């Protein structure tokens, strides 16, 4: 588990502790070992790397591991540059603190597949600096030139063959200055990066020892479950809590914002107490909202004013002059995160201190909320990130922090707030629904000359960071259309925000999750209209030898594209470039004409994510992205009725089951590119790859998610 | 007082007879490896073995399992072939669903170790995993099945 480093590192001696301070415009590595010179900055940093006298290495991280294997990957980078003995490396989660803020974002958060790609240099430097200091300490002890010493597996070797373990050198190294620019390894010398390692959290997870936020306990704690408004904008008009208070174990019933909390000695008591509440809710802001109304509003915005995201050449003229024009409308629904560990947070507010334990992806946001609610300075608000049962963007939200801190303040004791599955669906911040109309123009040779794209989707930034929305344009809503890997001389991308009260938020790959479906399906429609092979057509639109070109070529080779396809099956491909990586996927499917059921038999995936730090985690993220993307493509749709969310549980929201999951063959490209993200880019291509494969085998073009069995049944029959 | 035998130990717990086993295991006995995911029998992350069979503890009352042998992941030997295969193939991502997933796998492999892949997948279909660990589950079960056979010829 985790501990407060600031206390620890000043209590122990004989160990080397390196920290990172983020100063405006620079990252500064520093030695905060006990006895070493005090750092020259006003920060009181938490450590990054800690080498104990017994030779064990602790890597302290501020990033959230939601299952991506990030913690192990980060430790692997430091260990490799340090030449540490991997068997003596462990990783620990630190309290939220300045040094763990994202060097590019200036806040501590996990999202955008950035944990490693924003820290690649920093982590390598931290490891390399520690190594150099240990070499210097050994060289001094031996009276030899440091350059003559070598390191491997936690030891410094003397030219004559003698060696000293890192642990023996820790105290001496701790007295040295941190080199500002330690020499980094030649990638050919990596011994840990790029290898298969046991994930550091694997044993605990398999033995059931990992305590997630939902499992967190602190002495004196009570558990709270809240009745949240059943409709958008609704408030409790009256609350009859008599029956709830009668439930055995219920301690109190307390309003929190527009919700009503039942606090109890146990989770079951709190749940029963909530069921016993009688609340008269106001009708809310949009009492007539339902699926039809949502759809009508999205459709209405397909025409009329819009923001222009991109305007190159003259798409309107080029379409007018084109030999062939293809036009299609695509639609995708709202999608829920459905991470299996529901939202939760434990808080303990005392006079001079607020402690927050949460499975959070937004440490700085959680800390800020504690500051706001308690009126304490940031250093008195401690945010401890617990292990997370998935997240996918959901855990960047802080409403549950507000609830837990508010309740702990009111009750003067630690309170754990847990959400139920019903709360999770009713109050998610959904992946936006979107409708788009695309027009593409081909010239007489079948070359793509024009692309005109109008898309409608609720804006995430308008809720979270309004200043990022300029002239009605939320850049995250159009990502994947803007930045598609194809060069088209005449392009126009327009975007309109619908007037809907449904909250939207980050969900694994964000705009790419729906824009890749529409763009990559439409590229297939264009290839068909041009009479060209879908892979050839795509490659022809890409800059030769570009990252996407190479990734798609690798996919085609590994999948045996163009080779024989088993009878009754079809193949489709799709490509994405996002989060600093490029991914191409091929799906091989069959369709049962009687039932309309699509079976995905095989998925092949090629990924270029720069240096492959932790290949098994890359494979796992590609597999996971394919499964989640396929689940979204085949099953998922959040429904709305009577002014609120109608979907209330997994009985109405099916996730992809084991028997529907295809085998996924993953190929990692030899890359010449900088390190990229892996958590998100595996998701976008699978839906269009499947749709394109369905078209190949049935001639039916699927333009709506989730894919409709009825439409396929009718069309195939 | 309800008497429950969990992982070989008998516990007397002060709970209403209708309380779901899930909450008694978690809140009264501190066995938080048994997860809450939906509370309505739909996701399988609360799975425990009751007399060797996988059951959803969120829809099982404590009263109904008095006198039964209840097994959670803590009670499964640390070197059990299923745990070993899960570790070696690195099946878990976040891990939240995996304790239930493994116990379901133990039930399936004990009762029907020779199922073909498709049927084995169907037998695992009712445990949800949002991270998408799916592609590793059947290979891990195959590996575990091989070892379980060796151990019990
Ligand atoms: S929590 Fe029991 S099946 Fe979901
Ligand atoms: S591993 Fe995360 S839900 Fe299955």
């Amino acid at each position: 588990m985790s501990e407060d480093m600031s206390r620890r590192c000043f209590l122990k001696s004989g160990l080397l502790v390196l920290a990172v301070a983020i100063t405006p415009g620079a990252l500064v590595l520093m030695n905060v070992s006990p006895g070493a010179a005090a750092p020259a900055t006003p920060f009181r940093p938490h450590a990054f790397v800690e080498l104990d006298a017994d030779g064990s290495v602790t890597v302290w991280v501020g990033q959230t591991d939601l299952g991506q294997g990030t913690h192990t990957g980060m430790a692997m980078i430091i260990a490799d540059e340090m030449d540490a003995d991997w068997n003596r490396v462990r990783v620990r989660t630190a309290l939220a603190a300045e040094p763990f803020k994202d060097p590019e974002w200036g806040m501590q958060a996990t999202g955008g597949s950035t944990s490693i790609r924003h820290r690649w240099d920093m982590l390598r430097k931290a490891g390399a600096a520690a190594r150099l200091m240990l070499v210097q300490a050994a060289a001094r002890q031996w009276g030899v030139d440091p350059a003559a010493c070598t390191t491997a597996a936690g030891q410094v070797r003397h030219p004559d063959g003698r060696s000293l373990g890192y642990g023996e050198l820790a105290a001496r190294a701790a007295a040295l200055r941190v080199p500002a620019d330690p020499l980094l390894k030649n990638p050919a010398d990596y011994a840990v990066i790029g290898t298969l390692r046991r994930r550091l959290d694997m044993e605990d997870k398999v033995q059931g020892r990992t305590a997630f936020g939902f499992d967190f306990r602190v002495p004196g704690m009570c558990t709270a479950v809240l009745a949240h408004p059943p409709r958008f904008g609704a408030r409790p008009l009256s609350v009859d809590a008599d029956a709830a208070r009668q439930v055995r174990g219920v301690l109190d019933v307390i309003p929190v914002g527009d919700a009503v909390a039942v606090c109890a000695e146990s989770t079951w008591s709190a749940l029963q107490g909530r069921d016993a509440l009688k609340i008269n809710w106001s009708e809310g802001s949009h009492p007539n909202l339902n699926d039809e109304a949502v759809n009508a509003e999205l459709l209405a915005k397909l025409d009329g004013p819009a923001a222009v995201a991109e305007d190159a050449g003259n798409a309107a003229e080029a379409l007018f002059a084109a030999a062939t024009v293809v036009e299609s409308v695509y639609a995708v629904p709202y999608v829920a995160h459905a991470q299996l560990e529901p939202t939760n947070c434990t808080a303990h507010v005392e006079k001079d201190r607020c402690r927050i334990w949460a499975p959070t992806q937004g440490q700085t946001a959680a800390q800020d909320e504690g500051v706001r609610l308690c009126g304490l300075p940031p250093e008195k608000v401690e945010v401890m990130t617990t292990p997370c049962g998935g997240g996918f963007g959901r855990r960047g939200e802080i409403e549950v922090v507000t609830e837990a801190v508010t309740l702990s303040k009111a009750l003067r004791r630690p309170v754990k707030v847990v959400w139920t599955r019903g709360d999770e669906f009713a109050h998610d911040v959904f992946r936006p629904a979107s409708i788009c109309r695309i027009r593409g123009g081909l010239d007489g040779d079948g070359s793509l000359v024009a692309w005109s794209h109008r898309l409608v989707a609720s804006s995430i930034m308008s809720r979270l960071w309004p200043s990022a929305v300029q002239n009605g344009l939320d850049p995250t809503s159009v990502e994947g259309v803007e930045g598609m890997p194809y060069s088209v001389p005449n392009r126009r991308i327009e975007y309109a925000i619908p007037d809907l009260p449904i909250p939207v938020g980050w969900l694994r790959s964000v705009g790419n999750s729906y824009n890749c479906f529409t763009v990559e399906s439409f590229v297939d429609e264009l290839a068909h209209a041009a009479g060209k092979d879908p892979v050839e057509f795509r490659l022809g639109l890409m800059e030769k030898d570009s990252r996407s070109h190479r990734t798609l070529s690798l996919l085609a080779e590994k999948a045996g594209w163009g080779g024989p396809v088993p009878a009754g099956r079809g193949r489709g491909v799709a490509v994405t470039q996002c989060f600093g990586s490029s991914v191409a996927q091929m799906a091989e499917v069959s369709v049962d004409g009687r039932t309309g059921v699509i079976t995905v038999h095989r998925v092949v995936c090629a990924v270029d994510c720069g240096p492959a730090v932790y290949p098994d985690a890359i494979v796992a993220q590609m597999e996971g992205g394919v499964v989640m993307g396929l689940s979204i493509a085949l099953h998922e749709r959040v429904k709305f009725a009577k002014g609120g969310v109608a979907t209330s549980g997994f009985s109405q929201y099916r996730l992809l089951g084991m028997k529907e999951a295809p085998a996924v063959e993953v190929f990692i490209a030899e890359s010449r590119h900088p390190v990229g993200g892996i958590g998100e880019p595996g998701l976008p291509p699978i839906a269009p790859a499947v749709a394109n494969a369905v078209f190949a085998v049935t001639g039916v073009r699927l333009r709506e998610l989730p894919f409709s069995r009825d439409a396929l049944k009718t069309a195939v029959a | 007082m309800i008497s429950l035998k969990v992982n070989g130990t008998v516990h007397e717990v002060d709970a209403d007879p209708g309380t779901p086993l899930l909450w008694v295991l978690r809140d009264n006995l501190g066995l938080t490896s048994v997860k809450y995911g939906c509370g309505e029998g739909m996701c399988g992350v609360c799975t425990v073995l009751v007399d060797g069979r996988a059951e959803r503890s969120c829809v099982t009352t404590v009263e109904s399992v008095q006198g039964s042998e209840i097994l959670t992941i803590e009670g499964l030997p640390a070197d059990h072939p299923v745990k070993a295969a899960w570790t070696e193939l690195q099946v878990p991502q976040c891990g939240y669903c995996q304790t239930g997933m493994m116990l379901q796998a133990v039930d399936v492999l004990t009762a029907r170790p020779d199922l073909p892949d498709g049927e084995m997948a169907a037998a695992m279909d009712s445990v949800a995993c949002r991270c998408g660990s799916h592609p590793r589950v059947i290979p891990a079960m195959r590996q575990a099945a091989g070892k379980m056979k060796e151990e019990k010829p």
Side-chain angles (χ1 to χ4, degrees), chain B residues 30-113:
Chain B
L31 293 167
T32 54
S33 72
V34 187
K35 301 301 185 199
Y36 165 84
C38 70
E40 48 185 22
M42 293 301 300
C43 73
V45 302
C46 65
T47 299
V48 297
L49 296 182
V50 177
D51 296 326
R53 301 312 308 267
E55 301 285 354
R56 309 296 178 238
S57 66
C58 71
V59 288
T60 302
T61 63
V62 275
E63 187 180 31
S64 70
V65 292
Q66 288 199 82
S68 292
E69 300 268 355
I70 298 158
L71 195 86
T72 70
I73 205 73
E74 292 91 342
L76 195 69
D79 61 350
H80 186 279
V82 165
K83 284 182 171 174
W86 248 247
T87 306
E88 193 177 325
L89 271 65
Q90 311 221 73
V91 178
Q93 290 191 25
C94 79
Y96 196 78
C97 70
Q98 298 292 340
T99 43
M101 188 81 80
M102 283 186 281
L103 290 169
Q104 176 84 9
V106 169
D107 177 5
V108 172
L109 291 174
T110 308
R112 294 162 291 169

Side-chain angles (χ1 to χ4, degrees), chain A residues 166-502:
Chain A
Y166 280 4
E168 303 170 75
L169 295 164
R172 283 168 173 270
L176 300 176
R177 273 173 46 123
V178 185
D181 245 326
L183 200 63
L184 299 176
K185 270 190 181 177
N186 180 336
D189 297 331
Y190 288 151
V192 180
I193 292 172
T195 61
L196 178 61
R197 299 285 159 166
R198 173 82 32 90
R199 251 173 59 172
L200 296 170
D201 54 350
M202 194 52 55
E203 186 68 12
D204 281 348
K205 285 182 175 171
V206 168
Q207 300 298 350
R209 287 194 294 256
T210 304
F212 296 85
F214 214 96
D215 308 327
F216 188 77
R217 276 167 170 244
V218 62
M221 176 186 96
C222 68
T223 303
V225 174
L226 286 83
H228 294 102
R231 293 175 286 279
F232 297 117
R235 286 176 300 108
L237 297 174
S238 65
V239 178
D240 175 353
D242 290 351
R245 289 181 191 278
Q246 295 307 308
V247 172
R248 184 181 162 190
V250 167
L251 300 165
D252 210 343
V253 176
I254 301 172
V256 183
D258 290 333
V260 181
V262 177
C263 305
E265 296 291 1
S266 73
T267 321
W268 180 238
S269 298
L271 286 167
Q272 286 181 301
R274 186 178 73 166
D275 282 351
L277 285 175
K278 291 189 201 73
I279 303 175
N280 182 16
W281 299 96
S282 69
E283 68 169 9
S285 58
H286 296 67
N288 298 321
L289 188 87
N290 57 22
D291 288 336
E292 291 70 39
V294 169
N295 219 20
E297 170 61 12
L298 290 169
L299 271 173
K301 289 291 193 302
L302 257 191
D303 298 293
V308 178
E310 196 177 351
D311 202 13
N314 189 325
E317 262 176 31
L319 279 170
F320 189 74
T324 310
V325 173
V326 181
E327 174 175 330
S328 289
V329 172
Y330 288 86
V332 305
Y334 287 94
V335 166
H337 292 85
Q339 81 288 350
L340 277 175
E341 180 199 2
T343 296
N344 64 83
C345 175
T346 305
H348 188 194
V349 181
E350 294 161 287
K351 195 166 143 280
D352 288 327
R353 190 181 192 196
C354 167
R355 276 176 290 174
I356 296 167
W357 298 270
T360 181
Q361 292 176 252
Q363 288 80 4
T364 300
Q367 192 174 39
D368 289 350
E369 185 65 354
V371 166
R372 185 181 75 84
L373 292 168
C374 301
L376 291 168
E379 61 274 16
K380 301 279 185 199
V381 177
E382 299 165 30
V383 176
M384 186 62 235
T385 309
T386 66
C388 297
F392 317 108
R394 177 66 182 86
R395 302 197 196 277
E397 304 291 328
I398 51 148
E399 71 278 64
V400 73
V401 175
T402 313
E403 293 171 352
V405 171
T406 305
L407 287 169
S408 176
K409 258 177 88 174
L411 289 169
R412 297 166 185 278
R413 65 190 280 185
V415 178
K416 175 161 79 175
V417 171
V418 298
W419 283 28
T420 61
R421 183 56 54 190
D423 295 328
E424 211 59 52
F425 278 111
H427 302 282
D428 198 358
V429 289
F430 303 98
R431 193 283 302 274
S434 177
I435 289 186
C436 73
R437 182 195 296 119
I438 318 176
R439 294 193 180 99
L442 300 165
D443 67 13
D445 302 330
S447 294
L448 181 59
V449 291
W451 185 294
S452 166
H453 198 125
R454 159 74 70 101
L455 86 95
V456 184
S458 292
S459 159
I460 300 170
M461 284 294 198
S462 297
R463 178 174 67 86
L464 293 175
W465 195 1
S467 65
V469 182
Q470 300 273 327
N471 302 319
L473 178 66
D474 179 339
T476 68
S477 304
V478 297
E479 62 186 19
V481 184
E482 203 177 14
M484 64 171 95
Y486 308 115
S487 48
V488 189
N490 302 287
R491 298 185 305 278
R492 187 174 168 90
I493 304 169
E494 297 173 341
Y495 167 66
I497 301 177
D499 181 13
L500 291 166
I502 302 163

